[in-house]
PDB file of all heavy atoms in Angstrom:
ATOM      1  N   LYS B 616      -1.747   3.345  53.253  1.00  0.00           N
ATOM      2  CA  LYS B 616      -0.326   3.591  53.470  1.00  0.00           C
ATOM      3  C   LYS B 616       0.345   2.323  53.924  1.00  0.00           C
ATOM      4  O   LYS B 616      -0.297   1.443  54.510  1.00  0.00           O
ATOM      5  CB  LYS B 616      -0.122   4.724  54.488  1.00  0.00           C
ATOM      6  CG  LYS B 616      -0.713   4.446  55.842  1.00  0.00           C
ATOM      7  CD  LYS B 616      -0.474   5.633  56.765  1.00  0.00           C
ATOM      8  CE  LYS B 616      -1.199   5.382  58.072  1.00  0.00           C
ATOM      9  NZ  LYS B 616      -1.026   6.435  59.042  1.00  0.00           N
ATOM     10  N   GLY B 617       1.620   2.240  53.636  1.00  0.00           N
ATOM     11  CA  GLY B 617       2.339   1.031  54.004  1.00  0.00           C
ATOM     12  C   GLY B 617       3.741   1.066  53.462  1.00  0.00           C
ATOM     13  O   GLY B 617       4.152   2.058  52.843  1.00  0.00           O
ATOM     14  N   SER B 618       4.456  -0.018  53.669  1.00  0.00           N
ATOM     15  CA  SER B 618       5.815  -0.071  53.139  1.00  0.00           C
ATOM     16  C   SER B 618       5.720  -0.158  51.624  1.00  0.00           C
ATOM     17  O   SER B 618       4.704  -0.589  51.074  1.00  0.00           O
ATOM     18  CB  SER B 618       6.547  -1.279  53.701  1.00  0.00           C
ATOM     19  OG  SER B 618       6.064  -2.440  53.066  1.00  0.00           O
ATOM     20  N   VAL B 619       6.793   0.248  50.974  1.00  0.00           N
ATOM     21  CA  VAL B 619       6.735   0.334  49.521  1.00  0.00           C
ATOM     22  C   VAL B 619       6.421  -1.034  48.906  1.00  0.00           C
ATOM     23  O   VAL B 619       5.693  -1.144  47.928  1.00  0.00           O
ATOM     24  CB  VAL B 619       8.040   0.952  48.971  1.00  0.00           C
ATOM     25  CG1 VAL B 619       9.225   0.014  49.188  1.00  0.00           C
ATOM     26  CG2 VAL B 619       7.898   1.323  47.522  1.00  0.00           C
ATOM     27  N   ARG B 620       6.912  -2.113  49.526  1.00  0.00           N
ATOM     28  CA  ARG B 620       6.640  -3.452  48.987  1.00  0.00           C
ATOM     29  C   ARG B 620       5.169  -3.815  49.149  1.00  0.00           C
ATOM     30  O   ARG B 620       4.552  -4.359  48.249  1.00  0.00           O
ATOM     31  CB  ARG B 620       7.514  -4.478  49.665  1.00  0.00           C
ATOM     32  CG  ARG B 620       8.869  -4.487  49.051  1.00  0.00           C
ATOM     33  CD  ARG B 620       9.830  -5.472  49.615  1.00  0.00           C
ATOM     34  NE  ARG B 620      11.102  -5.175  48.988  1.00  0.00           N
ATOM     35  CZ  ARG B 620      11.891  -4.186  49.375  1.00  0.00           C
ATOM     36  NH1 ARG B 620      11.552  -3.421  50.392  1.00  0.00           N
ATOM     37  NH2 ARG B 620      13.011  -3.932  48.741  1.00  0.00           N
ATOM     38  N   ASP B 621       4.619  -3.501  50.321  1.00  0.00           N
ATOM     39  CA  ASP B 621       3.203  -3.792  50.527  1.00  0.00           C
ATOM     40  C   ASP B 621       2.347  -3.067  49.506  1.00  0.00           C
ATOM     41  O   ASP B 621       1.418  -3.635  48.936  1.00  0.00           O
ATOM     42  CB  ASP B 621       2.783  -3.387  51.943  1.00  0.00           C
ATOM     43  CG  ASP B 621       3.296  -4.374  52.983  1.00  0.00           C
ATOM     44  OD1 ASP B 621       3.545  -5.536  52.604  1.00  0.00           O
ATOM     45  OD2 ASP B 621       3.461  -3.974  54.143  1.00  0.00           O
ATOM     46  N   ILE B 622       2.663  -1.800  49.298  1.00  0.00           N
ATOM     47  CA  ILE B 622       1.825  -1.010  48.400  1.00  0.00           C
ATOM     48  C   ILE B 622       1.933  -1.520  46.964  1.00  0.00           C
ATOM     49  O   ILE B 622       0.936  -1.651  46.257  1.00  0.00           O
ATOM     50  CB  ILE B 622       2.218   0.485  48.460  1.00  0.00           C
ATOM     51  CG1 ILE B 622       1.977   1.054  49.859  1.00  0.00           C
ATOM     52  CG2 ILE B 622       1.471   1.289  47.410  1.00  0.00           C
ATOM     53  CD1 ILE B 622       0.540   1.212  50.237  1.00  0.00           C
ATOM     54  N   PHE B 623       3.132  -1.806  46.517  1.00  0.00           N
ATOM     55  CA  PHE B 623       3.273  -2.184  45.114  1.00  0.00           C
ATOM     56  C   PHE B 623       3.006  -3.672  44.860  1.00  0.00           C
ATOM     57  O   PHE B 623       2.582  -4.043  43.771  1.00  0.00           O
ATOM     58  CB  PHE B 623       4.662  -1.795  44.593  1.00  0.00           C
ATOM     59  CG  PHE B 623       4.749  -0.333  44.243  1.00  0.00           C
ATOM     60  CD1 PHE B 623       5.170   0.596  45.177  1.00  0.00           C
ATOM     61  CD2 PHE B 623       4.369   0.117  42.984  1.00  0.00           C
ATOM     62  CE1 PHE B 623       5.232   1.945  44.863  1.00  0.00           C
ATOM     63  CE2 PHE B 623       4.424   1.467  42.668  1.00  0.00           C
ATOM     64  CZ  PHE B 623       4.859   2.383  43.610  1.00  0.00           C
ATOM     65  N   HIS B 624       3.271  -4.508  45.858  1.00  0.00           N
ATOM     66  CA  HIS B 624       3.049  -5.940  45.625  1.00  0.00           C
ATOM     67  C   HIS B 624       1.710  -6.435  46.157  1.00  0.00           C
ATOM     68  O   HIS B 624       1.142  -7.361  45.624  1.00  0.00           O
ATOM     69  CB  HIS B 624       4.171  -6.762  46.268  1.00  0.00           C
ATOM     70  CG  HIS B 624       5.487  -6.559  45.595  1.00  0.00           C
ATOM     71  ND1 HIS B 624       5.611  -6.481  44.234  1.00  0.00           N
ATOM     72  CD2 HIS B 624       6.739  -6.389  46.083  1.00  0.00           C
ATOM     73  CE1 HIS B 624       6.875  -6.281  43.910  1.00  0.00           C
ATOM     74  NE2 HIS B 624       7.589  -6.214  45.021  1.00  0.00           N
ATOM     75  N   ARG B 625       1.258  -5.833  47.262  1.00  0.00           N
ATOM     76  CA  ARG B 625       0.012  -6.314  47.850  1.00  0.00           C
ATOM     77  C   ARG B 625      -0.915  -5.134  48.127  1.00  0.00           C
ATOM     78  O   ARG B 625      -1.281  -4.884  49.273  1.00  0.00           O
ATOM     79  CB  ARG B 625       0.305  -7.053  49.163  1.00  0.00           C
ATOM     80  CG  ARG B 625       0.993  -8.391  48.979  1.00  0.00           C
ATOM     81  CD  ARG B 625       1.394  -9.011  50.288  1.00  0.00           C
ATOM     82  NE  ARG B 625       2.450  -8.268  50.960  1.00  0.00           N
ATOM     83  CZ  ARG B 625       3.753  -8.371  50.642  1.00  0.00           C
ATOM     84  NH1 ARG B 625       4.134  -9.184  49.692  1.00  0.00           N
ATOM     85  NH2 ARG B 625       4.654  -7.659  51.287  1.00  0.00           N
ATOM     86  N   PRO B 626      -1.247  -4.372  47.103  1.00  0.00           N
ATOM     87  CA  PRO B 626      -2.107  -3.210  47.359  1.00  0.00           C
ATOM     88  C   PRO B 626      -3.461  -3.657  47.882  1.00  0.00           C
ATOM     89  O   PRO B 626      -3.999  -4.663  47.406  1.00  0.00           O
ATOM     90  CB  PRO B 626      -2.222  -2.541  45.986  1.00  0.00           C
ATOM     91  CG  PRO B 626      -1.934  -3.622  45.002  1.00  0.00           C
ATOM     92  CD  PRO B 626      -0.962  -4.534  45.677  1.00  0.00           C
ATOM     93  N   GLY B 627      -3.992  -2.951  48.854  1.00  0.00           N
ATOM     94  CA  GLY B 627      -5.263  -3.335  49.429  1.00  0.00           C
ATOM     95  C   GLY B 627      -6.409  -2.521  48.863  1.00  0.00           C
ATOM     96  O   GLY B 627      -7.378  -3.047  48.333  1.00  0.00           O
ATOM     97  N   HIS B 628      -6.279  -1.210  48.904  1.00  0.00           N
ATOM     98  CA  HIS B 628      -7.382  -0.338  48.520  1.00  0.00           C
ATOM     99  C   HIS B 628      -7.657  -0.416  47.019  1.00  0.00           C
ATOM    100  O   HIS B 628      -6.715  -0.416  46.219  1.00  0.00           O
ATOM    101  CB  HIS B 628      -7.055   1.097  48.927  1.00  0.00           C
ATOM    102  CG  HIS B 628      -8.250   1.976  48.987  1.00  0.00           C
ATOM    103  ND1 HIS B 628      -8.815   2.510  47.869  1.00  0.00           N
ATOM    104  CD2 HIS B 628      -8.996   2.394  50.034  1.00  0.00           C
ATOM    105  CE1 HIS B 628      -9.864   3.235  48.219  1.00  0.00           C
ATOM    106  NE2 HIS B 628      -9.996   3.175  49.537  1.00  0.00           N
ATOM    107  N   PRO B 629      -8.922  -0.474  46.645  1.00  0.00           N
ATOM    108  CA  PRO B 629      -9.246  -0.556  45.209  1.00  0.00           C
ATOM    109  C   PRO B 629      -8.658   0.599  44.402  1.00  0.00           C
ATOM    110  O   PRO B 629      -8.292   0.402  43.237  1.00  0.00           O
ATOM    111  CB  PRO B 629     -10.774  -0.505  45.184  1.00  0.00           C
ATOM    112  CG  PRO B 629     -11.214  -0.887  46.540  1.00  0.00           C
ATOM    113  CD  PRO B 629     -10.115  -0.550  47.484  1.00  0.00           C
ATOM    114  N   TYR B 630      -8.555   1.774  45.016  1.00  0.00           N
ATOM    115  CA  TYR B 630      -7.990   2.904  44.263  1.00  0.00           C
ATOM    116  C   TYR B 630      -6.516   2.655  43.963  1.00  0.00           C
ATOM    117  O   TYR B 630      -6.051   2.879  42.848  1.00  0.00           O
ATOM    118  CB  TYR B 630      -8.171   4.215  45.033  1.00  0.00           C
ATOM    119  CG  TYR B 630      -7.508   5.390  44.341  1.00  0.00           C
ATOM    120  CD1 TYR B 630      -8.002   5.865  43.129  1.00  0.00           C
ATOM    121  CD2 TYR B 630      -6.376   5.996  44.873  1.00  0.00           C
ATOM    122  CE1 TYR B 630      -7.397   6.912  42.468  1.00  0.00           C
ATOM    123  CE2 TYR B 630      -5.762   7.044  44.227  1.00  0.00           C
ATOM    124  CZ  TYR B 630      -6.272   7.500  43.027  1.00  0.00           C
ATOM    125  OH  TYR B 630      -5.657   8.533  42.375  1.00  0.00           O
ATOM    126  N   THR B 631      -5.772   2.188  44.966  1.00  0.00           N
ATOM    127  CA  THR B 631      -4.355   1.901  44.752  1.00  0.00           C
ATOM    128  C   THR B 631      -4.194   0.871  43.643  1.00  0.00           C
ATOM    129  O   THR B 631      -3.353   1.022  42.752  1.00  0.00           O
ATOM    130  CB  THR B 631      -3.726   1.360  46.048  1.00  0.00           C
ATOM    131  OG1 THR B 631      -4.148   2.162  47.129  1.00  0.00           O
ATOM    132  CG2 THR B 631      -2.221   1.361  45.955  1.00  0.00           C
ATOM    133  N   ARG B 632      -5.024  -0.153  43.708  1.00  0.00           N
ATOM    134  CA  ARG B 632      -4.944  -1.196  42.676  1.00  0.00           C
ATOM    135  C   ARG B 632      -5.207  -0.622  41.293  1.00  0.00           C
ATOM    136  O   ARG B 632      -4.470  -0.883  40.354  1.00  0.00           O
ATOM    137  CB  ARG B 632      -5.986  -2.282  42.942  1.00  0.00           C
ATOM    138  CG  ARG B 632      -5.697  -3.031  44.196  1.00  0.00           C
ATOM    139  CD  ARG B 632      -6.722  -4.118  44.375  1.00  0.00           C
ATOM    140  NE  ARG B 632      -6.411  -4.860  45.583  1.00  0.00           N
ATOM    141  CZ  ARG B 632      -6.762  -6.112  45.788  1.00  0.00           C
ATOM    142  NH1 ARG B 632      -7.454  -6.739  44.859  1.00  0.00           N
ATOM    143  NH2 ARG B 632      -6.443  -6.723  46.895  1.00  0.00           N
ATOM    144  N   ALA B 633      -6.270   0.177  41.211  1.00  0.00           N
ATOM    145  CA  ALA B 633      -6.636   0.748  39.914  1.00  0.00           C
ATOM    146  C   ALA B 633      -5.516   1.638  39.401  1.00  0.00           C
ATOM    147  O   ALA B 633      -5.148   1.600  38.225  1.00  0.00           O
ATOM    148  CB  ALA B 633      -7.935   1.533  40.044  1.00  0.00           C
ATOM    149  N   LEU B 634      -4.951   2.435  40.308  1.00  0.00           N
ATOM    150  CA  LEU B 634      -3.890   3.354  39.916  1.00  0.00           C
ATOM    151  C   LEU B 634      -2.692   2.579  39.376  1.00  0.00           C
ATOM    152  O   LEU B 634      -2.106   2.932  38.353  1.00  0.00           O
ATOM    153  CB  LEU B 634      -3.479   4.182  41.143  1.00  0.00           C
ATOM    154  CG  LEU B 634      -2.659   5.431  40.900  1.00  0.00           C
ATOM    155  CD1 LEU B 634      -3.462   6.424  40.104  1.00  0.00           C
ATOM    156  CD2 LEU B 634      -2.240   6.039  42.224  1.00  0.00           C
ATOM    157  N   LEU B 635      -2.335   1.497  40.056  1.00  0.00           N
ATOM    158  CA  LEU B 635      -1.192   0.694  39.611  1.00  0.00           C
ATOM    159  C   LEU B 635      -1.488   0.027  38.276  1.00  0.00           C
ATOM    160  O   LEU B 635      -0.616  -0.085  37.419  1.00  0.00           O
ATOM    161  CB  LEU B 635      -0.846  -0.361  40.663  1.00  0.00           C
ATOM    162  CG  LEU B 635      -0.240   0.157  41.969  1.00  0.00           C
ATOM    163  CD1 LEU B 635      -0.111  -0.966  42.977  1.00  0.00           C
ATOM    164  CD2 LEU B 635       1.110   0.792  41.717  1.00  0.00           C
ATOM    165  N   GLU B 636      -2.743  -0.397  38.104  1.00  0.00           N
ATOM    166  CA  GLU B 636      -3.092  -1.070  36.857  1.00  0.00           C
ATOM    167  C   GLU B 636      -3.105  -0.127  35.662  1.00  0.00           C
ATOM    168  O   GLU B 636      -2.886  -0.530  34.538  1.00  0.00           O
ATOM    169  CB  GLU B 636      -4.472  -1.737  36.980  1.00  0.00           C
ATOM    170  CG  GLU B 636      -4.429  -3.045  37.716  1.00  0.00           C
ATOM    171  CD  GLU B 636      -5.814  -3.478  38.151  1.00  0.00           C
ATOM    172  OE1 GLU B 636      -6.806  -2.885  37.682  1.00  0.00           O
ATOM    173  OE2 GLU B 636      -5.890  -4.417  38.973  1.00  0.00           O
ATOM    174  N   CYS B 637      -3.404   1.156  35.938  1.00  0.00           N
ATOM    175  CA  CYS B 637      -3.526   2.125  34.843  1.00  0.00           C
ATOM    176  C   CYS B 637      -2.183   2.477  34.221  1.00  0.00           C
ATOM    177  O   CYS B 637      -2.129   2.911  33.085  1.00  0.00           O
ATOM    178  CB  CYS B 637      -4.114   3.425  35.363  1.00  0.00           C
ATOM    179  SG  CYS B 637      -5.856   3.355  35.535  1.00  0.00           S
ATOM    180  N   ASP B 638      -1.119   2.364  34.986  1.00  0.00           N
ATOM    181  CA  ASP B 638       0.176   2.836  34.512  1.00  0.00           C
ATOM    182  C   ASP B 638       0.588   2.043  33.273  1.00  0.00           C
ATOM    183  O   ASP B 638       0.758   0.829  33.340  1.00  0.00           O
ATOM    184  CB  ASP B 638       1.199   2.662  35.630  1.00  0.00           C
ATOM    185  CG  ASP B 638       2.517   3.315  35.262  1.00  0.00           C
ATOM    186  OD1 ASP B 638       2.700   3.622  34.062  1.00  0.00           O
ATOM    187  OD2 ASP B 638       3.341   3.517  36.155  1.00  0.00           O
ATOM    188  N   PRO B 639       0.722   2.731  32.132  1.00  0.00           N
ATOM    189  CA  PRO B 639       1.030   2.006  30.893  1.00  0.00           C
ATOM    190  C   PRO B 639       2.321   1.197  30.991  1.00  0.00           C
ATOM    191  O   PRO B 639       2.476   0.201  30.284  1.00  0.00           O
ATOM    192  CB  PRO B 639       1.168   3.117  29.850  1.00  0.00           C
ATOM    193  CG  PRO B 639       0.512   4.299  30.433  1.00  0.00           C
ATOM    194  CD  PRO B 639       0.607   4.173  31.919  1.00  0.00           C
ATOM    195  N   SER B 640       3.245   1.612  31.860  1.00  0.00           N
ATOM    196  CA  SER B 640       4.506   0.876  31.895  1.00  0.00           C
ATOM    197  C   SER B 640       4.377  -0.448  32.643  1.00  0.00           C
ATOM    198  O   SER B 640       5.252  -1.297  32.561  1.00  0.00           O
ATOM    199  CB  SER B 640       5.605   1.743  32.517  1.00  0.00           C
ATOM    200  OG  SER B 640       5.228   2.134  33.801  1.00  0.00           O
ATOM    201  N   VAL B 641       3.272  -0.634  33.386  1.00  0.00           N
ATOM    202  CA  VAL B 641       3.088  -1.878  34.129  1.00  0.00           C
ATOM    203  C   VAL B 641       2.583  -2.991  33.219  1.00  0.00           C
ATOM    204  O   VAL B 641       2.872  -4.158  33.420  1.00  0.00           O
ATOM    205  CB  VAL B 641       2.082  -1.656  35.279  1.00  0.00           C
ATOM    206  CG1 VAL B 641       1.871  -2.929  36.062  1.00  0.00           C
ATOM    207  CG2 VAL B 641       2.568  -0.565  36.181  1.00  0.00           C
ATOM    208  N   ILE B 642       1.804  -2.575  32.214  1.00  0.00           N
ATOM    209  CA  ILE B 642       1.138  -3.564  31.387  1.00  0.00           C
ATOM    210  C   ILE B 642       2.139  -4.178  30.429  1.00  0.00           C
ATOM    211  O   ILE B 642       2.681  -3.516  29.544  1.00  0.00           O
ATOM    212  CB  ILE B 642      -0.020  -2.904  30.619  1.00  0.00           C
ATOM    213  CG1 ILE B 642      -0.930  -2.212  31.619  1.00  0.00           C
ATOM    214  CG2 ILE B 642      -0.775  -3.922  29.789  1.00  0.00           C
ATOM    215  CD1 ILE B 642      -1.683  -1.057  31.068  1.00  0.00           C
ATOM    216  N   ALA B 643       2.425  -5.459  30.629  1.00  0.00           N
ATOM    217  CA  ALA B 643       3.515  -6.105  29.913  1.00  0.00           C
ATOM    218  C   ALA B 643       3.158  -6.282  28.437  1.00  0.00           C
ATOM    219  O   ALA B 643       3.930  -5.926  27.559  1.00  0.00           O
ATOM    220  CB  ALA B 643       3.829  -7.443  30.552  1.00  0.00           C
ATOM    221  N   GLU B 644       1.986  -6.839  28.158  1.00  0.00           N
ATOM    222  CA  GLU B 644       1.595  -7.093  26.786  1.00  0.00           C
ATOM    223  C   GLU B 644       1.077  -5.801  26.165  1.00  0.00           C
ATOM    224  O   GLU B 644       0.193  -5.157  26.725  1.00  0.00           O
ATOM    225  CB  GLU B 644       0.481  -8.145  26.757  1.00  0.00           C
ATOM    226  CG  GLU B 644       0.982  -9.566  26.838  1.00  0.00           C
ATOM    227  CD  GLU B 644       1.981  -9.877  25.735  1.00  0.00           C
ATOM    228  OE1 GLU B 644       1.626  -9.688  24.555  1.00  0.00           O
ATOM    229  OE2 GLU B 644       3.111 -10.288  26.046  1.00  0.00           O
ATOM    230  N   PRO B 645       1.594  -5.422  25.019  1.00  0.00           N
ATOM    231  CA  PRO B 645       1.068  -4.224  24.379  1.00  0.00           C
ATOM    232  C   PRO B 645      -0.424  -4.373  24.096  1.00  0.00           C
ATOM    233  O   PRO B 645      -0.871  -5.417  23.644  1.00  0.00           O
ATOM    234  CB  PRO B 645       1.853  -4.149  23.069  1.00  0.00           C
ATOM    235  CG  PRO B 645       3.077  -4.937  23.309  1.00  0.00           C
ATOM    236  CD  PRO B 645       2.717  -6.001  24.287  1.00  0.00           C
ATOM    237  N   THR B 646      -1.181  -3.356  24.424  1.00  0.00           N
ATOM    238  CA  THR B 646      -2.616  -3.414  24.192  1.00  0.00           C
ATOM    239  C   THR B 646      -3.085  -2.071  23.681  1.00  0.00           C
ATOM    240  O   THR B 646      -2.520  -1.037  24.008  1.00  0.00           O
ATOM    241  CB  THR B 646      -3.369  -3.772  25.478  1.00  0.00           C
ATOM    242  OG1 THR B 646      -4.760  -3.569  25.247  1.00  0.00           O
ATOM    243  CG2 THR B 646      -2.946  -2.910  26.639  1.00  0.00           C
ATOM    244  N   ARG B 647      -4.120  -2.125  22.835  1.00  0.00           N
ATOM    245  CA  ARG B 647      -4.640  -0.864  22.336  1.00  0.00           C
ATOM    246  C   ARG B 647      -5.667  -0.284  23.286  1.00  0.00           C
ATOM    247  O   ARG B 647      -6.026   0.876  23.198  1.00  0.00           O
ATOM    248  CB  ARG B 647      -5.266  -1.049  20.946  1.00  0.00           C
ATOM    249  CG  ARG B 647      -4.298  -1.438  19.890  1.00  0.00           C
ATOM    250  CD  ARG B 647      -3.115  -0.500  19.815  1.00  0.00           C
ATOM    251  NE  ARG B 647      -3.465   0.845  19.456  1.00  0.00           N
ATOM    252  CZ  ARG B 647      -3.518   1.289  18.204  1.00  0.00           C
ATOM    253  NH1 ARG B 647      -3.235   0.503  17.219  1.00  0.00           N
ATOM    254  NH2 ARG B 647      -3.834   2.533  17.956  1.00  0.00           N
ATOM    255  N   PHE B 648      -6.189  -1.112  24.209  1.00  0.00           N
ATOM    256  CA  PHE B 648      -7.191  -0.570  25.115  1.00  0.00           C
ATOM    257  C   PHE B 648      -6.702  -0.667  26.552  1.00  0.00           C
ATOM    258  O   PHE B 648      -6.629  -1.742  27.125  1.00  0.00           O
ATOM    259  CB  PHE B 648      -8.539  -1.252  24.895  1.00  0.00           C
ATOM    260  CG  PHE B 648      -9.155  -0.788  23.624  1.00  0.00           C
ATOM    261  CD1 PHE B 648      -8.937  -1.454  22.439  1.00  0.00           C
ATOM    262  CD2 PHE B 648      -9.903   0.385  23.590  1.00  0.00           C
ATOM    263  CE1 PHE B 648      -9.459  -0.985  21.248  1.00  0.00           C
ATOM    264  CE2 PHE B 648     -10.427   0.855  22.406  1.00  0.00           C
ATOM    265  CZ  PHE B 648     -10.216   0.173  21.228  1.00  0.00           C
ATOM    266  N   LEU B 649      -6.323   0.492  27.073  1.00  0.00           N
ATOM    267  CA  LEU B 649      -5.691   0.555  28.382  1.00  0.00           C
ATOM    268  C   LEU B 649      -6.748   0.683  29.463  1.00  0.00           C
ATOM    269  O   LEU B 649      -7.811   1.273  29.251  1.00  0.00           O
ATOM    270  CB  LEU B 649      -4.763   1.766  28.432  1.00  0.00           C
ATOM    271  CG  LEU B 649      -3.607   1.708  27.433  1.00  0.00           C
ATOM    272  CD1 LEU B 649      -3.063   3.087  27.167  1.00  0.00           C
ATOM    273  CD2 LEU B 649      -2.514   0.797  27.967  1.00  0.00           C
ATOM    274  N   PRO B 650      -6.457   0.139  30.647  1.00  0.00           N
ATOM    275  CA  PRO B 650      -7.412   0.298  31.746  1.00  0.00           C
ATOM    276  C   PRO B 650      -7.467   1.757  32.220  1.00  0.00           C
ATOM    277  O   PRO B 650      -6.482   2.484  32.127  1.00  0.00           O
ATOM    278  CB  PRO B 650      -6.841  -0.604  32.837  1.00  0.00           C
ATOM    279  CG  PRO B 650      -5.404  -0.757  32.502  1.00  0.00           C
ATOM    280  CD  PRO B 650      -5.270  -0.619  31.024  1.00  0.00           C
ATOM    281  N   THR B 651      -8.621   2.172  32.680  1.00  0.00           N
ATOM    282  CA  THR B 651      -8.773   3.528  33.207  1.00  0.00           C
ATOM    283  C   THR B 651      -9.578   3.442  34.491  1.00  0.00           C
ATOM    284  O   THR B 651     -10.078   2.390  34.849  1.00  0.00           O
ATOM    285  CB  THR B 651      -9.544   4.425  32.225  1.00  0.00           C
ATOM    286  OG1 THR B 651     -10.851   3.880  32.070  1.00  0.00           O
ATOM    287  CG2 THR B 651      -8.867   4.500  30.887  1.00  0.00           C
ATOM    288  N   ILE B 652      -9.673   4.580  35.178  1.00  0.00           N
ATOM    289  CA  ILE B 652     -10.585   4.652  36.315  1.00  0.00           C
ATOM    290  C   ILE B 652     -11.739   5.531  35.867  1.00  0.00           C
ATOM    291  O   ILE B 652     -11.594   6.735  35.746  1.00  0.00           O
ATOM    292  CB  ILE B 652      -9.905   5.268  37.558  1.00  0.00           C
ATOM    293  CG1 ILE B 652      -8.602   4.529  37.868  1.00  0.00           C
ATOM    294  CG2 ILE B 652     -10.850   5.225  38.751  1.00  0.00           C
ATOM    295  CD1 ILE B 652      -7.848   5.093  39.055  1.00  0.00           C
ATOM    296  N   PRO B 653     -12.877   4.934  35.549  1.00  0.00           N
ATOM    297  CA  PRO B 653     -13.985   5.750  35.039  1.00  0.00           C
ATOM    298  C   PRO B 653     -14.486   6.716  36.104  1.00  0.00           C
ATOM    299  O   PRO B 653     -14.318   6.478  37.305  1.00  0.00           O
ATOM    300  CB  PRO B 653     -15.055   4.723  34.684  1.00  0.00           C
ATOM    301  CG  PRO B 653     -14.519   3.384  35.025  1.00  0.00           C
ATOM    302  CD  PRO B 653     -13.236   3.530  35.740  1.00  0.00           C
ATOM    303  N   GLY B 654     -15.107   7.787  35.643  1.00  0.00           N
ATOM    304  CA  GLY B 654     -15.677   8.750  36.581  1.00  0.00           C
ATOM    305  C   GLY B 654     -14.684   9.834  36.950  1.00  0.00           C
ATOM    306  O   GLY B 654     -13.572   9.894  36.447  1.00  0.00           O
TER     307      GLY B 654
END
Side-chain angles (χ1 to χ4, degrees):
Chain B
K616 60 181 174 179
S618 75
V619 68
R620 279 181 187 79
D621 285 336
I622 297 289
F623 280 92
H624 292 319
R625 289 174 292 280
H628 198 281
Y630 176 68
T631 315
R632 294 182 179 206
L634 195 64
L635 290 173
E636 281 164 12
C637 280
D638 188 345
S640 58
V641 180
I642 305 153
E644 277 304 304
T646 169
R647 295 307 297 270
F648 287 91
L649 297 159
T651 62
I652 307 178

